[in-house]
Amino acid sequence: MAWLWKKSKPEANALSPLDRDNIPQHVAVIMDGNGRWAKQRGLPRVAGHHAGMKAVKRITIAADELGVKTLTMYAFSTENWTRPREEVDYLMRLPSEFLAIELQELIEKNVQVRMTGWREGLPAHTLAALDQAEADTRHNTGLILNFALNYGSRREILEAVKTVAREAEAGTLDLDKLDEETFTKKLLTADLPDPDLLIRTSGEIRLSNFMLWQSAYTEFWFSNRYWPDFGKEDFEEAVREYQRRTRRYGGLK
Ligand code: FPP
């Protein structure tokens, strides 16, 4: 029965070089485990979020170096408002703190900063920092660093359905001609490609209302590491695993 063990592809290991011609164009990350990281160290949860912010920088650099085109970071979901006020307030201050430190370098590295999510409900200072960063990086042509903030996929899909219903009622859209491509353009992510690779840290294996429509054919990769510990090597390991996958989109290879 030796044939059973025969591999169709050479086994990639931590040392194998990455294929520069097969880099995922859009990587989306569910940054999970900040609270547990802090608890493990006897620190308040917000200390985990602060350490998580540093990991955002590390992974932005790693993604940029590999030639990833879009990096979406799930920084705050529509469900995260149910967390204690103090934690929510802290999370809302992180974009301005991060950008105050990093924006200059992001500009120099040709990174475009963007946000995907609902503006209403977000504090003015959070929006001001993100708006400023978007404006200052609008003409950059490198990596898109996209923060999913106040984002939830079910609401996104529902709002898109309402939009098409209104357009149909107004006679500006023919429902019979509505296709996936047109519907995709009604989502908050209209101008972004679907993620090729989705990474979730901390050992949780679920999507948590993240890019439900967009991840129909995304490759998933889960890490047991807590987000603040996630590093360049982990990111490269995820990309290496992505490169071992055969994407078939429901067809045959
Ligand atoms: C989930 O981990 C993480 C979040 C809800 C927040 C993620 C935000 C960051 C990593 C910082 C974002 C940085 C910028 C610049 C916007 P959790 O706290 O639920 O972890 P737990 O499951 O261990 O409690």
Side-chain angles (χ1 to χ4, degrees):
M1 298 293 279
W3 58 271
L4 268 179
W5 302 101
K6 227 169 146 183
K7 295 267 182 331
S8 55
K9 280 188 178 183
E11 192 73 61
N13 60 47
L15 299 173
S16 11
L18 284 163
D19 176 358
R20 296 275 161 176
D21 295 328
N22 185 20
I23 298 295
Q25 296 295 284
H26 184 178
V27 180
V29 185
I30 302 178
M31 307 180 283
D32 198 7
N34 295 348
R36 279 164 284 168
W37 180 93
K39 193 173 175 200
Q40 227 177 31
R41 288 160 177 77
L43 298 169
R45 289 180 55 80
V46 293
H49 294 316
H50 196 264
M53 183 182 79
K54 295 190 173 157
V56 169
K57 161 133 200 222
R58 275 201 303 279
I59 299 312
T60 302
I61 293 170
D64 190 37
E65 280 174 5
L66 285 186
V68 169
K69 293 274 183 282
T70 305
L71 180 67
T72 295
M73 307 297 235
Y74 201 8
F76 194 88
S77 76
T78 43
E79 289 71 34
N80 287 150
W81 294 109
T82 59
R83 293 188 177 206
R85 174 78 194 269
E86 184 194 66
E87 184 172 340
V88 169
D89 287 349
Y90 190 87
L91 284 167
M92 289 300 151
R93 283 199 298 274
L94 284 182
S96 45
E97 186 176 340
F98 176 79
L99 292 164
I101 304 166
E102 308 298 348
L103 184 56
Q104 198 49 45
E105 193 177 334
L106 293 172
I107 293 170
E108 283 158 20
K109 284 198 179 309
N110 198 23
V111 171
Q112 296 174 63
V113 177
R114 294 210 203 157
M115 180 199 130
T116 296
W118 283 279
R119 294 176 66 87
E120 72 260 23
L122 290 175
H125 64 86
T126 311
L127 286 172
L130 285 160
D131 286 349
Q132 186 67 53
E134 280 202 24
D136 289 353
T137 61
R138 178 156 296 136
H139 301 296
N140 286 355
T141 53
L143 173 78
I144 296 172
L145 173 59
N146 180 37
F147 290 107
L149 197 73
N150 199 19
Y151 173 84
S153 197
R154 284 188 172 182
R155 177 173 169 198
E156 176 189 36
I157 294 168
L158 195 57
E159 297 291 345
V161 169
K162 286 183 191 170
T163 301
V164 296
R166 280 192 208 104
E167 288 176 1
E169 204 172 29
T172 55
L173 181 138
D174 180 351
L175 268 191
D176 293 325
K177 292 205 178 116
L178 177 63
D179 56 14
E180 291 179 12
E181 200 182 329
T182 312
F183 187 76
T184 298
K185 297 284 174 226
K186 310 287 180 197
L187 299 171
L188 294 175
T189 52
D191 54 352
L192 294 175
D194 289 343
D196 299 296
L197 172 65
L198 182 141
I199 296 171
R200 183 172 188 148
T201 57
S202 90
E204 308 293 355
I205 302 183
R206 54 177 173 259
L207 272 179
S208 300
N209 203 15
F210 187 58
M211 296 211 177
L212 303 179
W213 171 278
Q214 297 87 338
S215 62
Y217 284 101
T218 299
E219 297 295 331
F220 292 171
W221 189 80
F222 299 97
S223 165
N224 284 330
R225 232 186 265 296
Y226 294 148
W227 174 250
D229 289 330
F230 199 77
K232 177 182 157 108
E233 294 74 22
D234 301 304
F235 189 78
E236 288 180 356
E237 191 188 333
V239 172
R240 192 169 284 110
E241 169 60 23
Y242 168 85
Q243 294 184 341
R244 287 181 42 76
R245 307 256 178 103
T246 305
R247 303 184 76 185
R248 290 190 294 270
Y249 301 94
L252 300 176
K253 189 72 186 173

